[in-house]
Amino acid sequence: METLTQPEALNFECETGNYHTFCPISCVAWLYQKIEDSFFLVIGTKTCGYFLQNAMGVMIFAEPRYAMAELEEGDISAQLNDFDELKRLCLQIKRDRNPSVIVWIGTCTTEIIKMDLEGLAPKLEAELGIPIVTARANGLDYAFTQGEDTVLAAMAAKCPEKAPVMESQKQERNAISQLLNFGKKKEEVAADESEYVNHTPLVLFGSLPDPVVTQLTLELKKQGIKVSGWLPSKRYTELPVLEEGYYVSGMNPFLSRTATTLMRRRKCKLIGAPFPIGPDGTRAWIEKICSVFNIEPKGLDEREAQIWASLEDYLQIVRGKSVFFMGDNLLEISLARFLIRCGMTCPEIGIPYMDKRYQAAELELLEKTCHEMGVPTPRIVEKPDNYNQIQRIYEQNIDLVITGMAHANPLEARGINTKWSVEFTFAQIHGFGNARDILELVTRPLRRNNSLKDLGWGNLVKEGAKV
Amino acid sequence: MKLAYWMYAGPAHIGTLRVASSFKNVHAIMHAPLGDDYFNVMRSMLERERDFTPVTASIVDRHVLARGSQERVVDNITRKDREEHPDLIVLTPTCTSSILQEDLENFVNRAQLEAKGDVMLADVNHYRVNELQAADRTLDQIVQFYINKARKKGDLAEGKTEKPSVNIIGISTLGFHNQHDCTELKRLMADLGIEVNEVIPEGASVHNLKNLPRAWFNLVPYRELGMMAASYLEKEFGTPCVDITPMGVVETARCIRKIQEVLNAQGADVNYEEFIDQQTRFVSQAAWFSRSIDCQNLTGKKAVVFGDNTHAAAMTKILSREMGIHVVWAGTYCKYDADWFREQVSGYCDEVIISEDHGAIGDAIARVEPSAIFGTQMERHVGKRLDIPCGVIAAPIHIQNFPIGYKPFLGYEGTNQCVDLVYNSFTLGMEDHLLEIFGGHDTKEVITKGISADSDMNWTKDGQAELNKIPGFVRGKVKRNTEKFARERGIAQISAEVLYAAKEAVGA
């Protein structure tokens, strides 16, 4: 590239949308595990069921708390009554599993036949005595991780509005403080409270594995910031209180609907920060929250430096290499920003959907990172076209392609290193402590292929088999 | 509506895609919403395909809902035609496009005007047929299309080949051990002095379909895929069809005798009896195995069998007829073809179960407590839960059922593989019971490396709670590392914070 002294702005493009990603109903795979007393009912066809069954592999055999309400021809042609059918199935679920909430996942089919799930839910809820949350996580409108966004946006509406008055109940409500105060006496709890700065309650949103929740909660505690609750919580019955004026902050880049719902419907104030992915992201996230609460952040310099130092062995592997995101899970901007900070170059970030407002702080940090590292800013390609991308990958001689499983093996056979993108959604990648896990994933193909490189079989397809 | 957790046969479009992508240079375009192209992942993962799966989607999104696909499908077809020059593009409807009721046939006709290759619409109704039926229909449809095309052009192959020859029909991608079966069948045909005219659909070119009538007969090894195309060829050209699955010693012999009969009826003078005798007694080890002491120990042991029609029926016969095992029940999920299954296994098992409900199958297994199960991956998991060994004999399958080593189920080598599968399943079960009776090999606790698992370190309740969240198989390691970390720094109480500080420091 030409002179880099002149800061270039990010370049956004939009292609055809012919790309491979997971159907958003896949969110049930991690959400049913996260929300322990839930049951997810996917109202769709055999196609949906087949996808879930294959995508979730062995999980399917572990008596999962999800099922398909498989639509038959009679449902499509309205010979059967939607309400009666759903009631029959939900009663069966209540009898067999007795969940605290049933989440209905609307699919493409329910959209097309215009099944009024939002209208049916309150009626059935009243008859059944179990809350029903409706989320339209379909492939007509959304990609992969956006499924979680639709579920959390629906759950945001179900969070209690007022903190219960009784002191004892208040503690019941708050899962995190309970966890941290586990088994302590009242005086000790009071002493704990003194560790926190007095600030407007803060609720974090985004489904993360419990250990990551603890880590990030403790990270803010070090700054005297108390996390009043998480959306979602471990149990549906422990959903956090959301009063008007509370602060909220998103943990993942794909939660724009949830953020919008929290702001517009629940009148919360969104802290727009970069996402705590990578030590740079985590630090920026903490700093932004601190700045909102007028807190001078403590010890972040050393903390971040220490983490970077501990990553040195991995950084040596990635420095100077190029990475290409084909785009399928919306984590791409944050991951690219982190990898550029690690010393990589990134010519292209494919992404299914780009919410420039919700990701504003993250985009800004990406741009800043590029300038500071002296690398060209990536082109950000929304709704990419996988076929065109593959041609670009060939042309640009990319060192590492982050892509879905549909393209990974064919690219490897053509001598191109790949990392399966879905792993980033299931691995623990948030906070200071998990930066190493991201690099473990990113460097794995490079380390593996490094040990194979002298064997002379990099390219494993016959001449002419380009596509 | 039906409450379903799991299904044995996939949706219709999967069958169409399996057939289309088995052919060389055929591209399938799905009329489907984002995320429905999961087929590509399965093929790339399970088959470890080196090439890009020739399947793309013409995306149905919110705009399509509002105003129809309009030019989109046609554009996508002609674009693919330009980019990759496939011989044929198969437009594949999905459940979504079934209810949109767009005139896909019209799109195909319009695209055909511009495209250099052929374009066709797969004639499958999502709500009426499953994966297997759709695959059968699509293969039939493609065969008919190219026979008719050749007829029109006047270049349909005429007359039979000089020497006896065969079309092997029904080998496809993502089929259970299909690649290995195909190799074994070709080898068997070579041994019998029969030329292989065409193998379809796997690896075939659509240009060669016009040669299909040249074969003396068609061999359809699997009940689920190829019967429709074979009956079409029989009706059209009088090509006889051998539809006996050569799986197991007796059935392989029966298949070969049928081939002999079919060839001799057309004037060949072949006698395969000596070949069958040689193979049975000395090449395949299965006949000898059934006579050996090992197999004697299996006599009367209880087994259950479940799978697709082909494999469940063949396995039932092998267990019962060739090994003297007591098959308590045999079942299939091919409900649409249940009569055939009943007829095949009658006399070889006590009871026949026809069901698509894995819960009912699980219950039926628990009820009879067999010594071994032969089923799909689902039955393998039921077996795990009930502590009963399971040999996997049919799809649905996982990646471990796509072995790299040579493992056919058909032909004489196939009989050897079946013996290993059956025998290994039963002995493992036996070993398990012996261990239980005698209390296992080693009742002492495993001694941990270095720092003992029981330590003098104090874990706070939150620390302990956090530790318990860590998956069991690494918990020991995390505990040791954390305690080492705490000890080195003189920390007496291990809290959640210490645990994570240790994780960062050690990087584990």
Side-chain angles (χ1 to χ4, degrees):
Chain A
M1 285 304 271
E2 57 283 5
T3 51
L4 291 163
T5 41
Q6 201 79 313
E8 345 156 41
L10 293 169
N11 173 22
F12 295 92
E13 289 171 39
C14 187
E15 272 189 308
T16 62
N18 282 329
Y19 65 101
H20 164 77
T21 182
F22 274 13
C23 174
I25 60 172
S26 50
C27 69
V28 308
W30 63 88
L31 288 177
Y32 92 79
Q33 297 194 30
K34 175 72 197 179
I35 308 169
E36 288 171 359
D37 53 353
S38 62
F39 191 99
F40 284 77
L41 185 68
V42 182
I43 304 161
T45 61
K46 250 183 174 346
T47 307
C48 313
Y50 196 67
F51 164 69
L52 281 180
Q53 152 174 345
N54 285 296
M56 293 193 221
V58 291
M59 277 200 273
I60 215 92
F61 301 105
E63 291 219 21
R65 289 185 319 280
Y66 76 81
M68 291 292 309
E70 196 183 307
L71 300 167
E72 290 162 302
E73 213 165 1
D75 297 302
I76 305 298
S77 54
Q79 283 163 357
L80 299 166
N81 181 296
D82 301 338
F83 182 79
D84 295 343
E85 291 295 300
L86 283 169
K87 185 176 165 187
R88 185 169 57 80
L89 300 193
C90 288
L91 277 170
Q92 196 181 332
I93 292 164
K94 185 185 176 184
R95 195 186 60 221
D96 296 347
R97 306 295 185 94
N98 196 27
S100 308
V101 61
I102 297 179
V103 183
W104 285 353
I105 302 287
T107 61
C108 303
T109 313
T110 56
E111 287 297 311
I112 297 170
I113 64 173
K114 300 198 171 21
M115 193 183 278
D116 181 21
L117 297 177
E118 280 95 345
L120 296 172
K123 278 188 237 164
L124 193 53
E125 199 172 74
E127 285 196 29
L128 215 62
I130 295 180
I132 295 175
V133 172
T134 308
R136 302 178 175 194
N138 62 70
L140 295 167
D141 301 306
Y142 305 108
F144 196 14
T145 48
Q146 287 181 290
E148 174 180 322
D149 193 22
T150 63
V151 173
L152 296 190
M155 284 210 174
K158 300 273 184 176
C159 291
E161 273 174 28
K162 274 264 174 284
V165 203
M166 295 283 291
E167 185 62 21
S168 57
Q169 279 175 337
K170 199 170 184 176
Q171 283 173 26
E172 284 292 306
R173 272 248 68 86
N174 198 325
I176 302 296
S177 71
Q178 262 223 312
L179 174 78
L180 298 173
N181 296 339
F182 201 81
K184 287 183 189 163
K185 290 202 196 82
K186 229 186 177 138
E187 312 81 86
E188 284 177 281
V189 174
D192 269 3
E193 292 295 324
S194 69
E195 292 173 35
Y196 296 110
V197 177
N198 193 15
H199 62 81
T200 316
L202 170 71
V203 172
L204 303 180
F205 60 95
S207 162
L208 297 177
D210 293 338
V212 180
V213 167
T214 313
Q215 280 171 281
L216 292 177
T217 307
L218 291 173
E219 208 63 71
L220 289 180
K221 189 184 170 193
K222 285 189 186 140
Q223 306 297 340
I225 298 167
K226 184 174 176 180
V227 179
S228 301
W230 281 75
L231 174 68
S233 41
K234 251 172 105 69
R235 303 179 66 81
Y236 179 77
T237 49
E238 292 163 2
L239 280 180
V241 174
L242 286 174
E243 284 184 40
E244 189 172 334
Y246 275 23
Y247 278 105
V248 291
S249 176
M251 294 296 97
N252 269 319
F254 45 76
L255 297 171
S256 45
R257 276 178 72 91
T258 310
T260 312
T261 310
L262 290 169
M263 287 190 290
R264 297 210 184 133
R265 307 279 298 272
R266 305 306 304 256
K267 311 278 185 250
C268 295
K269 286 181 269 185
L270 178 71
I271 302 177
F275 302 98
I277 293 169
D280 50 340
T282 308
R283 180 197 176 143
W285 174 71
I286 296 171
E287 281 176 343
K288 184 65 198 276
I289 294 177
C290 284
S291 78
V292 169
F293 293 135
N294 281 320
I295 295 168
E296 186 64 37
K298 298 181 291 269
L300 282 182
D301 274 338
E302 306 83 66
R303 194 81 211 280
E304 194 193 348
Q306 211 177 18
I307 297 290
W308 283 114
S310 73
L311 299 177
E312 187 51 34
D313 51 341
Y314 280 157
L315 294 179
Q316 281 176 9
I317 302 174
V318 298
R319 250 177 225 136
K321 300 239 165 39
S322 58
V323 59
F324 187 109
F325 286 85
M326 285 185 76
D328 71 347
N329 59 17
L330 283 91
L331 293 172
E332 291 88 2
I333 302 287
S334 310
L335 288 172
R337 178 259 302 150
F338 167 57
L339 292 179
I340 291 170
R341 177 62 72 184
C342 289
M344 297 185 89
T345 58
C346 180
E348 176 164 337
I349 307 176
I351 186 166
Y353 169 72
M354 183 72 247
D355 185 334
K356 287 186 202 160
R357 278 204 295 183
Y358 176 63
Q359 294 219 45
E362 183 63 86
L363 287 168
E364 203 182 303
L365 182 58
L366 170 67
E367 206 176 326
K368 187 170 147 237
T369 303
C370 288
H371 296 152
E372 286 176 6
M373 299 302 291
V375 299
T377 51
R379 59 194 285 204
I380 296 173
V381 182
E382 204 179 350
K383 294 185 186 301
D385 184 293
N386 281 166
Y387 182 86
N388 295 342
Q389 284 185 314
I390 287 166
Q391 311 309 316
R392 293 199 286 271
I393 288 167
Y394 291 147
E395 285 159 17
Q396 294 168 339
N397 211 4
I398 301 290
D399 294 309
L400 178 69
V401 178
I402 299 191
T403 180
M405 199 45 107
H407 301 298
N409 267 339
L411 286 172
E412 287 284 349
R414 283 155 184 78
I416 295 167
N417 304 317
T418 62
K419 181 74 227 148
W420 188 28
S421 54
V422 172
E423 287 190 63
F424 292 102
T425 53
F426 293 119
Q428 304 189 353
I429 61 169
H430 293 75
F432 284 122
N434 292 315
R436 204 176 167 82
D437 296 47
I438 308 177
L439 283 181
E440 156 69 28
L441 288 177
V442 168
T443 57
R444 196 180 297 156
L446 301 172
R447 284 178 284 136
R448 193 268 310 263
N449 293 345
N450 193 38
S451 58
L452 303 179
K453 74 176 188 301
D454 296 330
L455 298 172
W457 58 53
N459 189 338
L460 290 153
V461 288
K462 292 183 181 139
E463 280 307 301
K466 261 287 185 195
V467 198
Chain B
M1 269 180 225
K2 201 167 76 181
L3 195 63
Y5 298 85
W6 209 71
M7 68 184 81
Y8 286 105
H13 70 267
I14 298 288
T16 296
L17 297 181
R18 274 179 55 190
V19 166
S21 61
S22 292
F23 278 106
K24 237 178 3 206
N25 213 25
V26 170
H27 199 100
I29 294 186
M30 302 166 69
H31 189 235
L34 198 63
D36 270 6
D37 59 352
Y38 192 73
F39 177 80
N40 299 35
V41 177
M42 290 182 60
R43 188 156 181 271
S44 178
M45 279 286 285
L46 300 178
E47 297 257 32
R48 289 182 204 89
E49 252 305 323
R50 299 171 197 225
D51 287 322
F52 292 98
T53 302
V55 174
T56 44
S58 176
I59 302 286
V60 174
D61 60 15
R62 191 54 69 177
H63 300 293
V64 171
L65 235 54
R67 53 192 188 116
S69 294
Q70 298 188 338
E71 299 306 311
R72 223 176 197 178
V73 177
V74 177
D75 286 348
N76 278 316
I77 294 174
T78 50
R79 177 186 163 186
K80 201 39 76 181
D81 184 67
R82 273 196 316 276
E83 282 168 356
E84 292 182 28
H85 318 293
D87 296 323
L88 168 68
I89 291 177
V90 180
L91 182 59
T92 310
T94 58
C95 58
T96 309
S97 63
S98 291
I99 26 178
L100 284 177
Q101 299 192 321
E102 286 198 79
D103 189 358
L104 296 180
E105 190 71 60
N106 175 39
F107 294 151
V108 163
N109 292 336
R110 275 168 50 205
Q112 183 66 85
L113 295 175
E114 229 180 287
K116 293 215 173 59
D118 297 311
V119 187
M120 78 160 57
L121 173 66
D123 174 26
V124 289
N125 180 328
H126 180 91
Y127 293 92
R128 303 264 165 92
V129 296
N130 69 16
E131 168 188 353
L132 303 171
Q133 294 162 289
D136 202 13
R137 290 173 91 99
T138 303
L139 182 59
D140 180 43
Q141 200 188 347
I142 294 177
V143 167
Q144 291 203 27
F145 182 90
Y146 280 97
I147 295 283
N148 287 332
K149 190 178 173 189
R151 250 202 201 119
K152 245 179 244 160
K153 279 173 70 183
D155 63 355
L156 188 66
E158 299 211 1
K160 301 289 171 196
T161 53
E162 200 178 319
K163 284 207 216 137
S165 63
V166 60
N167 297 320
I168 300 174
I169 301 181
I171 307 290
S172 81
T173 189
L174 291 174
F176 183 70
H177 291 242
N178 273 21
Q179 306 287 354
H180 308 300
D181 284 347
C182 183
T183 307
E184 186 63 20
L185 288 176
K186 282 183 186 165
R187 188 178 288 175
L188 179 63
M189 292 305 128
D191 288 347
L192 297 174
I194 298 169
E195 284 174 359
V196 176
N197 188 50
E198 298 291 341
V199 177
I200 61 168
E202 185 62 42
S205 159
V206 289
H207 298 309
N208 291 0
L209 293 176
K210 61 175 186 290
N211 297 330
L212 285 174
R214 284 175 59 78
W216 289 36
F217 73 103
N218 293 320
L219 177 63
V220 181
Y222 310 117
R223 174 72 189 171
E224 292 77 19
L225 176 55
M227 286 306 293
M228 282 179 80
S231 2
Y232 166 76
L233 292 170
E234 182 153 20
K235 194 178 85 211
E236 217 50 30
F237 305 103
T239 318
C241 168
V242 175
D243 61 357
I244 299 164
T245 304
M247 181 170 156
V249 179
V250 179
E251 290 298 288
T252 303
R254 203 158 75 84
C255 177
I256 295 172
R257 289 199 181 98
K258 179 74 184 174
I259 292 171
Q260 174 180 302
E261 183 192 316
V262 160
L263 293 182
N264 287 342
Q266 293 176 69
D269 180 22
V270 292
N271 185 342
Y272 296 137
E273 288 306 331
E274 200 188 328
F275 173 78
I276 293 172
D277 181 62
Q278 274 293 315
Q279 291 286 330
T280 304
R281 290 199 295 141
F282 303 110
V283 178
S284 158
Q285 299 295 316
W288 158 232
F289 171 79
S290 63
R291 198 59 206 247
S292 71
I293 303 300
D294 284 337
C295 190
Q296 207 181 82
N297 286 336
L298 300 181
T299 309
K301 287 228 168 297
K302 283 199 290 187
V304 297
V305 182
F306 190 77
D308 59 4
N309 266 356
T310 304
H311 294 93
M315 196 39 121
T316 304
K317 289 185 224 174
I318 292 172
L319 292 173
S320 164
R321 188 164 57 187
E322 297 176 18
M323 297 182 180
I325 288 161
H326 177 194
V327 180
V328 187
W329 59 259
T332 178
Y333 55 82
C334 298
K335 253 176 145 168
Y336 64 94
D337 197 18
D339 292 341
W340 182 87
F341 185 77
R342 276 205 192 84
E343 184 217 311
Q344 290 291 309
V345 299
S346 69
Y348 299 112
C349 58
D350 303 349
E351 187 191 346
V352 176
I353 297 183
I354 312 288
S355 174
E356 287 173 328
D357 176 358
H358 77 275
I361 297 304
D363 290 347
I365 294 171
R367 170 165 56 86
V368 302
E369 289 186 28
S371 309
I373 307 166
F374 298 93
T376 70
Q377 278 292 337
M378 193 52 174
E379 283 67 50
R380 190 172 74 82
H381 283 268
V382 172
K384 262 190 181 168
R385 204 176 298 165
L386 299 174
D387 254 338
I388 303 170
C390 176
V392 174
I393 57 154
I397 37 186
H398 287 172
I399 193 148
Q400 67 264 39
N401 303 112
F402 289 87
I404 291 171
Y406 187 53
K407 289 201 160 50
F409 270 68
L410 305 187
Y412 285 110
E413 178 54 29
T415 62
N416 294 338
Q417 299 292 338
C418 287
V419 164
D420 282 343
L421 182 75
V422 171
Y423 185 64
N424 290 343
S425 302
F426 276 108
T427 34
L428 286 178
M430 192 78 107
E431 204 174 353
D432 241 27
H433 287 305
L434 290 176
L435 285 177
E436 208 169 276
I437 291 164
F438 296 111
H441 293 295
D442 187 357
T443 49
K444 273 186 203 152
E445 280 217 14
V446 181
I447 299 153
T448 46
K449 270 192 291 188
I451 302 159
S452 146
D454 291 322
S455 67
D456 52 347
M457 298 299 288
N458 276 325
W459 285 74
T460 64
K461 279 192 176 162
D462 68 313
Q464 189 63 47
E466 215 48 38
L467 182 66
N468 288 341
K469 283 184 203 154
I470 289 158
F473 61 97
V474 285
R475 198 179 299 147
K477 183 180 155 204
V478 171
K479 189 174 182 217
R480 273 200 305 279
N481 285 341
T482 310
E483 290 180 352
K484 188 164 161 236
F485 173 86
R487 210 169 272 133
E488 282 166 1
R489 283 162 187 75
I491 301 169
Q493 293 269 331
I494 302 181
S495 62
E497 271 144 318
V498 176
L499 180 99
Y500 287 113
K503 180 175 186 278
E504 276 165 29
V506 183

